[in-house]
């Protein structure tokens, strides 16, 4: 196999953490070209360009300070220049920007390139509905897409603390290539074929994390938070079954599912900002600017997109937790109203509308088809 050239599109804290892994693996493995490009949105830091700082010091001083990037990771401020020769494109930017990036890259990348999306979220379709980010990239750039999702807080990955992740990939040839590019002794990769379920988990768990943050802000304790997590997982499974059928229930027990959900509900930025939302009375937008150092908050935005779909299909009543979290984010409900939602959740009522999810989603068996 010819050596694969890799480009990372994005350089926030998660993009920089993954660049640390990808750069080290590319350098030591024969499957990949040593040089890894990383598209960096140009900013001035104390009067100096961020790309110059990264290339001189091998540190992303804004988004991942204190961590050295491999010297073979090269920061590039022009996304077309960064991506033009890449065989593998790793997308890790806020999902609000993906259409603009794809329109810039259209016709400017290798026709044989493949993509790996680390982006957690949906986007609205023109004409109604919502669309997975990997589907948008695939449709816009005409390349096959895989996804990576998991319980992967960027700061802990950068510190090389052990964790797991899930890659959803249908291509049996590329699956081991992507695994070799990403896996380390501290970053364990499991590859499954259930791509859409993997990606949905990565998006939907951010909504639940907002609910967990509201619980923390109300000082309601871990028992209440556990109820939010459990009911959130049930709604995640039900949502995927309704809108992206054909997946496996077992996917929700991989790192992309329950593990990522728990991690985000205890340690993620969506939980943190949502707690501050309750305690301070400030808006989500104000807190995002104050607390996230230029990073974007995904949970409220994803909740809005999911609610758009649920309202379109007259299904809000089937997803009361998702609906309540969205309404709290936009000020239609008070955070304390979340408790009534939990107390009266139809899952507690043995609602006949919620048939056996195991029967719908397939038997609980391993989806690990490739490796």
């Amino acid at each position: 196999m010819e050596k694969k050239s890799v480009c990372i599109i994005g350089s926030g804290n998660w993009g920089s953490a993954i660049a640390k892994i990808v750069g080290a693996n590319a350098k030591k493995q024969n499957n990949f070209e040593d040089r890894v490009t990383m598209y960096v949105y140009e900013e001035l830091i104390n009067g100096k360009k961020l790309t110059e700082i990264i290339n001189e010091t091998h540190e992303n001083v804004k988004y991942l300070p204190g961590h050295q990037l491999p010297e073979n990771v090269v920061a590039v401020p022009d996304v077309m220049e960064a991506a033009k020769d890449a065989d593998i494109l790793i997308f890790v930017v806020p999902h609000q920007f993906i259409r603009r990036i794809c329109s810039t890259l259209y016709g400017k990348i290798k026709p044989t390139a493949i993509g790996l999306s680390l982006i957690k979220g949906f986007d609205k379709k023109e004409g109604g509905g919502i669309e997975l980010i990997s589907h948008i990239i695939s449709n816009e750039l005409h390349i096959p897409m895989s996804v990576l999702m998991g319980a992967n807080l960027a700061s802990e990955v950068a510190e090389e603390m052990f964790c797991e992740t899930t890659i959803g990939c249908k291509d049996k040839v590329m699956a081991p290539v992507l695994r070799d590019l990403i896996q380390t002794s501290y970053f364990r990769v499991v590859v499954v074929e259930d791509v859409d379920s993997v990606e949905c988990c990565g998006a939907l768990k951010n909504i639940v994390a907002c609910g967990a943050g509201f619980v923390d802000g109300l000082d309601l304790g871990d028992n209440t938070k556990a109820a939010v997590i459990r009911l959130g997982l049930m709604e995640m499974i039900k949502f995927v079954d309704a809108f992206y059928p054909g997946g496996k229930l077992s996917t929700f027990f991989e790192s992309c599912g329950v593990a990522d959900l728990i991690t985000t509900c205890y340690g993620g930025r969506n939980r943190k900002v949502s707690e501050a939302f309750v305690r301070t009375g400030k808006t989500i937008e104000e807190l995002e600017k104050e607390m996230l150092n230029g990073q974007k908050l995904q949970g409220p935005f994803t909740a809005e997109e999911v609610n758009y779909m649920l309202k379109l299909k007259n299904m809000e009543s089937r997803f009361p937790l998702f609906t309540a979290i969205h309404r709290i984010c936009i000020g239609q409900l008070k955070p304390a109203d979340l408790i009534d939602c939990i107390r009266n959740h139809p899952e507690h009522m043995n609602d006949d509308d919620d048939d056996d999810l195991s029967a719908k989603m397939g038997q609980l068996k391993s989806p690990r088809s490739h490796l």
Side-chain angles (χ1 to χ4, degrees), residues 13 22 82 90 108 110 131 139-140 223 248 310 365:
N13 62 343
V22 168
I90 300 175
K108 306 294 194 305
K110 285 185 174 182
E131 194 168 14
N139 292 337
E140 295 279 339
N223 292 340
K248 294 182 172 67
L310 296 179
K365 59 185 179 181

Side-chain angles (χ1 to χ4, degrees), residues 263-275:
T263 299
T264 308
C265 286
Y266 278 90
R269 72 180 77 152
N270 292 282
R271 186 220 62 80
K272 183 180 178 181
V273 172
S274 296
E275 178 183 359

